[in-house]
Amino acid sequence: MSAINCYHCGTACDQTITIEDKSFCCDGCKLVYQLLDQNGMCQYYDLTQMPGMTAKGSFTAEKYNYLDSQAIQEQLVQVLGEDQAKVVFYLPQIHCVSCIWLLEHLNKINSGIIHSQTNFEKKEIKIVYRPSQISLKQLVQLLAFVGYEPMIHLGGNDLMTKKKVNRKQLFKIGIAGFCFSNIMMLSFPEYLSVETSELGILRPFFIYLNLFLSLPVLFYSAKDFFISAYTGLRQKWLNIDAPIALAIAVTFSRSVYEILTQTGAGYLDSMSGIVFFMLIGRWFQDKSYDSFSFDRDYTSFFPLAVTELVDGVEQNRLLATVQKNAILLIRTDEMIPADAQLLSSGGLVDYSFVTGEHAPIEVAEGSMIYAGGIQKGRSIKVRVVKPVGQSYITELWNNPSLQNEKNQAQSFVHPWSQYFTIVLFFIAFASALYWWWTDPSKILTAITSVLIVACPCSLLLTVTFTYGNVLRWLGKSKLYCKNATVLESIENIDTIVFDKTGTLTNHQHTHLEFIGDTMNVKEQLAIKSITNESLHPLSQLITNYFSKIEEVVKVESIQNFVGKGTRAVVDGEEYLIGSIAFLQLQGVDVSTDIKGSSVAIAINGSFRGVFSVNHIYREGLTQLFNQLKSQDYEMYLLSGDRDTEYFSLQQMLGEDITMHFEQSPEDKLNFIQQLQFQGKNVMMIGDGLNDAGALKKANVGIAVTDQSHLFTPASDAIIEGAMVPKLAQLIQYVKKGKLVIILLFILSILYNLVGMYFATRAVLSPMVAAILMPISSISIVSLSALFTYFFARGVASKS
């Protein structure tokens, strides 16, 4: 029998829900199709086959009641004018052209929506609407109904909020570029004329116009270089901006002197060019990593508001105002916002946000449940024991040992700039001594020429453009680094610590295997019918395991034992489904050596077998660890799981990998600290909030996610899960970046030597300076792009 897929979302389904010749997996998908059909929007299905998101159990209108709160609307909505408002939402479900088409035609479904525009790269939508016709709550309900539920969190929509455009920086670049190009153009007649007298009255006009154009470059565009240099000198530190500021000041001063004394045209084109290229380099580096949030904390993923029960009546409350002993209603798939006591049955909590473990835990009435868990079962009531500000998750995040600043180590460029400055002053002083002895009239010319031509702009351009290109190529390889300083930290790493679940494993794929006696069709049908009654993910896995069986039968009786298993009767036969310990307590003789996550089956007191739940490890891990060993990295594996997979991991990763299991968040943090006390430079790679402490404490923390816009704890870098096996090549590429900087620095030194030849002889003309400066800058930018591209291609070919 050929498999039938839902016409809307593509999920495997039967033919019990049909419209004409179209099959649907659930009523939710059918209703979405009907809504689009009624509004003449079925082109949605023509652009991409089965483009929708499954609507089964994902839409609960009441969960958005908090959006009626004026305080919450003020945080989310921007009022544009009379009866017109704008809101921007992050929609992680956007994945194809059909999604974009549907979301940009929402006005056909509701006339209250004026305009909607999507940003596919950032997975966000900007909607302009009329509040008098459609409220914010109704707008979110509409998006959720069609399968695009927005993510709205306590910490604000930082997942989709772009960094503010630094307009001042752009203005400075624009002004410097405008003035540089015009000064260069106005200087050509001076450079190309045989005799300056040929220019007549135009010569002084051009020269003073150049001086006028240089003023905004000096006092506005170059301002930050002088401020940085002054700040460094006050702290008795000679940073790389100091010699740049000195070169700008000397170039301008020398130019003004020549213009006022009518002895030359000056070097204003070189001065403005220095500033322009420096600003371009720094802007380019900033743009390489400005679209990711690396400093997220737990509040960024908590709900903005919750439902509080006051005398049995539901009331919406801002999470920040919830007090101890408040009674909260937590619906299916909602996050538990505070440490609380469960007041009702049905607690089935997924703590993967905190622990990284994706198997939900059944919680008995009266037990404690903790902030950060996701309720996977039916709606429950809880009593707040500790508000979010005092919860366990907050204590974990605010650990005092995590408050230190990392990646603050001195860049290798700064010592180079100091040596450069010292040598520069030595050469200038030596030139002065020589001309004082030979021809004192040329002392000032020689000193200023040396300071002009030996500007360290080539060194700074080398660093900014090379690291900017490296960041860009790493981003294309799905490794997003916070800034260039992280690249230098990666170069110094000698120890790598891996988390297991979600890092080495792919939690989106779980393999279920039945080990035991073969069951007949009747028994398989009964087991599917029993597990179909449960929302527990393991039960759903078993239900899907029997997906080829299209029907279900009536379950005569069913009894659930929280955290243990289920006893049910189907067609007069008793079925026990649960843990091995549960079956043994029921008197079943269980004979199996299966360890780890599993579900045992017994029929009429007879053990029939076990469903073994196996993690799917990412492909290429063995090769990854072999490559890292060959690069002499010391490696460790930390996991919150039990050691049931120790031997299989040892076989996969190698016997020389040290592994620690049943590690709490504090254990992971302490382990990183111990390595650092031993003088190790540690890289930590993890995914869950339980890894957050270790990620922040490590010299380099890399958060793993299978979707870069979904939750990642605060980190120095974010890597998409599929690229974890390529980590060794990516680290090597980062190291190649430093090699490129060294090569280009040598090239810039050669340029400086050529310039020094003319400068120390006191014969440096404005034309020579004008030629050397742009050639040096342009060649360095071009070679930086070429080398980083070449090495990136080498990494790609190896992977």
Side-chain angles (χ1 to χ4, degrees):
M1 182 179 296
S2 59
I4 297 175
N5 298 98
C6 176
Y7 182 74
H8 176 71
C9 69
T11 302
C13 60
D14 53 43
Q15 300 186 61
T16 56
I17 305 175
T18 58
I19 297 178
E20 299 174 351
D21 59 339
K22 301 173 179 65
S23 299
F24 299 91
C25 65
C26 61
D27 287 323
C29 288
K30 183 189 75 172
L31 290 172
V32 173
Y33 167 77
Q34 289 176 322
L35 175 68
L36 299 179
D37 186 41
Q38 290 168 6
N39 290 277
M41 299 177 66
C42 282
Q43 184 182 348
Y44 173 64
Y45 300 102
D46 297 333
L47 297 172
T48 306
Q49 188 178 17
M50 297 176 288
M53 306 297 292
T54 182
K56 185 186 296 183
S58 63
F59 179 71
T60 306
E62 293 78 10
K63 70 184 293 185
Y64 306 111
N65 288 340
Y66 69 91
L67 293 173
D68 287 331
S69 167
Q70 185 64 33
I72 292 174
Q73 291 182 21
E74 290 175 357
Q75 294 187 47
L76 298 176
V77 177
Q78 177 185 353
V79 178
L80 299 179
E82 184 177 351
D83 196 28
Q84 194 171 111
K86 181 181 78 172
V87 65
V88 180
F89 290 125
Y90 171 66
L91 307 179
Q93 304 89 347
I94 297 177
H95 68 285
C96 67
V97 65
S98 289
C99 299
I100 296 173
W101 186 88
L102 173 60
L103 292 169
E104 293 190 348
H105 289 81
L106 292 174
N107 58 325
K108 290 187 176 181
I109 300 177
N110 191 304
S111 59
I113 298 173
I114 301 172
H115 172 72
S116 56
Q117 182 178 1
T118 59
N119 184 320
F120 181 79
E121 179 183 359
K122 297 185 180 298
K123 297 183 183 294
E124 61 187 58
I125 182 171
K126 177 177 69 177
I127 301 176
V128 179
Y129 67 101
R130 299 183 181 91
S132 63
Q133 297 184 33
I134 180 171
S135 67
L136 178 64
K137 182 180 78 171
Q138 291 170 333
L139 180 60
V140 173
Q141 286 176 337
L142 173 61
L143 287 170
F145 184 79
V146 296
Y148 300 91
E149 180 180 7
M151 296 183 69
I152 305 173
H153 302 288
L154 175 62
N157 284 1
D158 69 324
L159 286 176
M160 58 81 191
T161 300
K162 294 180 284 189
K163 289 188 178 182
K164 291 183 178 179
V165 176
N166 190 338
R167 295 188 180 277
K168 284 187 177 181
Q169 186 184 34
L170 293 178
F171 286 148
K172 289 177 181 178
I173 293 173
I175 289 173
F178 172 80
C179 294
F180 168 58
S181 59
N182 281 278
I183 291 173
M184 201 74 172
M185 181 182 67
L186 293 172
S187 298
F188 277 140
E190 177 82 16
Y191 297 155
L192 300 177
S193 59
V194 178
E195 295 289 339
T196 56
S197 59
E198 296 176 0
L199 300 177
I201 195 173
L202 288 176
R203 181 174 184 268
F205 174 73
F206 285 162
I207 290 175
Y208 280 99
L209 183 56
N210 284 345
L211 180 59
F212 173 75
L213 288 171
S214 69
L215 295 178
V217 177
L218 177 70
F219 293 108
Y220 180 67
S221 297
K223 180 174 65 174
D224 290 340
F225 294 106
F226 291 100
I227 293 174
S228 174
Y230 175 71
T231 303
L233 291 174
R234 286 191 61 184
Q235 298 174 353
K236 299 180 179 180
W237 169 250
L238 195 64
N239 59 31
I240 196 171
D241 286 336
I244 292 175
L246 177 63
I248 294 171
V250 169
T251 306
F252 180 79
S253 301
R254 169 75 182 272
S255 300
V256 171
Y257 171 78
E258 289 189 2
I259 291 171
L260 294 180
T261 60
Q262 298 183 357
T263 57
Y267 306 86
L268 296 175
D269 46 0
S270 295
M271 186 273 291
S272 56
I274 290 170
V275 176
F276 176 64
F277 282 108
M278 292 297 97
L279 293 174
I280 284 287
R282 291 184 172 177
W283 173 84
F284 176 73
Q285 191 178 77
D286 290 342
K287 287 296 292 180
S288 298
Y289 51 82
D290 67 353
S291 61
F292 286 85
S293 177
F294 295 88
D295 298 315
R296 305 168 185 169
D297 64 14
Y298 62 92
T299 63
S300 301
F301 306 92
F302 271 48
L304 188 63
V306 293
T307 303
E308 182 176 354
L309 297 176
V310 181
D311 298 327
V313 179
E314 295 183 15
Q315 295 185 7
N316 298 307
R317 291 276 191 272
L318 287 172
L319 180 56
T321 66
V322 172
Q323 301 295 318
K324 182 179 179 180
N325 293 322
I327 307 299
L328 304 181
L329 177 65
I330 310 296
R331 297 184 176 89
T332 304
D333 286 329
E334 288 187 346
M335 179 176 282
I336 297 160
D339 294 351
Q341 181 184 24
L342 182 61
L343 300 180
S344 57
S345 60
L348 185 62
V349 184
D350 177 356
Y351 283 113
S352 59
F353 178 85
V354 181
T355 66
E357 297 300 320
H358 290 263
I361 300 172
E362 294 188 70
V363 183
E365 183 177 349
S367 300
M368 284 290 296
I369 54 178
Y370 298 94
I374 305 292
Q375 168 61 7
K376 305 303 290 185
R378 59 178 179 270
S379 298
I380 57 174
K381 297 177 183 178
V382 301
R383 176 184 287 112
V384 175
V385 175
K386 291 182 180 180
V388 66
Q390 304 170 16
S391 64
Y392 165 76
I393 203 172
T394 308
E395 293 174 1
L396 170 62
W397 195 268
N398 294 331
N399 189 314
S401 64
L402 302 181
Q403 304 309 310
N404 65 306
E405 293 290 331
K406 63 177 179 177
N407 291 329
Q408 298 298 314
Q410 185 186 111
S411 170
F412 73 92
V413 174
H414 290 290
W416 289 8
S417 69
Q418 284 189 310
Y419 300 146
F420 184 94
T421 305
I422 293 170
V423 172
L424 173 62
F425 284 139
F426 174 79
I427 294 175
F429 181 71
S431 297
L433 285 178
Y434 172 79
W435 288 112
W436 176 77
W437 181 265
T438 308
D439 184 356
S441 64
K442 294 184 177 181
I443 292 178
L444 181 61
T445 301
I447 293 175
T448 54
S449 295
V450 168
L451 295 176
I452 288 170
V453 78
C455 170
C457 62
S458 296
L459 174 58
L460 187 58
L461 278 177
T462 298
V463 174
T464 53
F465 274 92
T466 299
Y467 276 150
N469 280 315
V470 170
L471 288 168
R472 183 168 61 88
W473 281 107
L474 288 176
K476 288 187 175 182
S477 298
K478 310 303 181 184
L479 173 60
Y480 310 97
C481 294
K482 185 176 183 178
N483 51 44
T485 310
V486 175
L487 299 180
E488 293 194 36
S489 298
I490 291 176
E491 292 168 2
N492 299 323
I493 291 301
D494 54 32
T495 304
I496 303 178
V497 178
F498 290 90
D499 172 52
K500 181 175 75 73
T501 307
T503 301
L504 302 184
T505 65
N506 188 342
H507 59 73
Q508 293 183 333
H509 300 93
T510 304
H511 175 62
L512 197 65
E513 179 184 8
F514 182 74
I515 302 172
D517 300 334
T518 302
M519 293 182 288
N520 58 43
V521 176
K522 176 184 175 182
E523 292 169 337
Q524 293 178 20
L525 178 59
I527 292 173
K528 177 181 179 180
S529 301
I530 296 168
T531 55
N532 194 51
E533 298 282 328
S534 173
L535 289 175
H536 194 291
L538 292 180
S539 296
Q540 294 176 350
L541 281 174
I542 295 174
T543 301
N544 292 333
Y545 183 83
F546 294 116
S547 60
K548 292 183 179 179
I549 301 176
E550 298 180 0
E551 56 184 313
V552 293
V553 295
K554 180 180 179 181
V555 179
E556 297 166 14
S557 68
I558 188 168
Q559 183 179 9
N560 292 311
F561 298 84
V562 177
K564 299 177 181 178
T566 300
R567 176 191 288 123
V569 176
V570 178
D571 196 21
E573 296 187 330
E574 182 187 63
Y575 289 80
L576 296 175
I577 304 174
S579 66
I580 293 174
F582 171 67
L583 266 65
Q584 291 172 335
L585 286 174
Q586 304 301 314
V588 178
D589 182 18
V590 178
S591 56
T592 180
D593 56 357
I594 295 295
K595 297 181 180 179
S597 184
S598 61
V599 179
I601 305 292
I603 302 175
N604 293 327
S606 174
F607 176 68
R608 301 299 299 275
V610 171
F611 283 101
S612 176
V613 183
N614 302 313
H615 291 297
I616 302 297
Y617 286 90
R618 302 186 190 277
E619 295 183 4
L621 290 181
T622 301
Q623 182 182 5
L624 167 65
F625 277 76
N626 288 336
Q627 290 172 340
L628 293 174
K629 289 175 193 174
S630 68
Q631 296 170 20
D632 296 324
Y633 286 106
E634 190 174 324
M635 288 178 289
Y636 298 88
L637 177 69
L638 303 181
S639 175
D641 293 348
R642 294 187 294 271
D643 62 354
T644 52
E645 297 183 78
Y646 176 83
F647 292 107
S648 59
L649 281 169
Q650 193 178 58
Q651 184 177 7
M652 181 192 307
L653 308 180
E655 296 183 358
D656 53 346
I657 303 299
T658 303
M659 292 181 273
H660 299 277
F661 295 89
E662 299 184 55
Q663 298 289 295
S664 68
E666 290 82 1
D667 292 334
K668 294 183 178 182
L669 171 59
N670 292 335
F671 186 79
I672 297 295
Q673 287 179 314
Q674 290 173 6
L675 291 174
Q676 291 174 329
F677 288 151
Q678 297 170 18
K680 306 289 187 183
N681 288 313
V682 184
M683 174 187 287
M684 173 68 193
I685 306 173
D687 75 321
L689 190 60
N690 66 320
D691 300 319
L695 288 170
K696 290 183 73 175
K697 187 63 180 175
N699 300 86
V700 177
I702 300 181
V704 178
T705 177
D706 288 299
Q707 296 185 52
S708 61
H709 288 83
L710 296 185
F711 170 71
T712 51
S715 58
D716 302 299
I718 299 170
I719 187 171
E720 292 198 7
M723 294 306 296
V724 170
K726 309 299 181 185
L727 184 65
Q729 290 99 313
L730 296 175
I731 292 176
Q732 283 301 302
Y733 178 60
V734 172
K735 291 185 174 182
K736 295 287 179 60
K738 186 173 183 178
L739 175 61
V740 171
I741 291 174
I742 294 173
L743 292 174
L744 293 181
F745 181 63
I746 293 172
L747 179 62
S748 69
I749 292 296
L750 294 177
Y751 276 117
N752 280 324
L753 289 176
V754 174
M756 285 288 186
Y757 171 75
F758 294 99
T760 54
R761 296 177 63 200
V763 294
L764 179 66
S765 69
M767 178 176 284
V768 174
I771 292 173
L772 283 177
M773 190 280 301
I775 288 179
S776 172
S777 300
I778 293 171
S779 61
I780 282 174
V781 170
S782 302
L783 288 173
S784 172
L786 181 63
F787 284 147
T788 51
Y789 171 77
F790 173 77
F791 287 129
R793 294 279 296 184
V795 170
S797 64
K798 290 179 182 178
S799 54

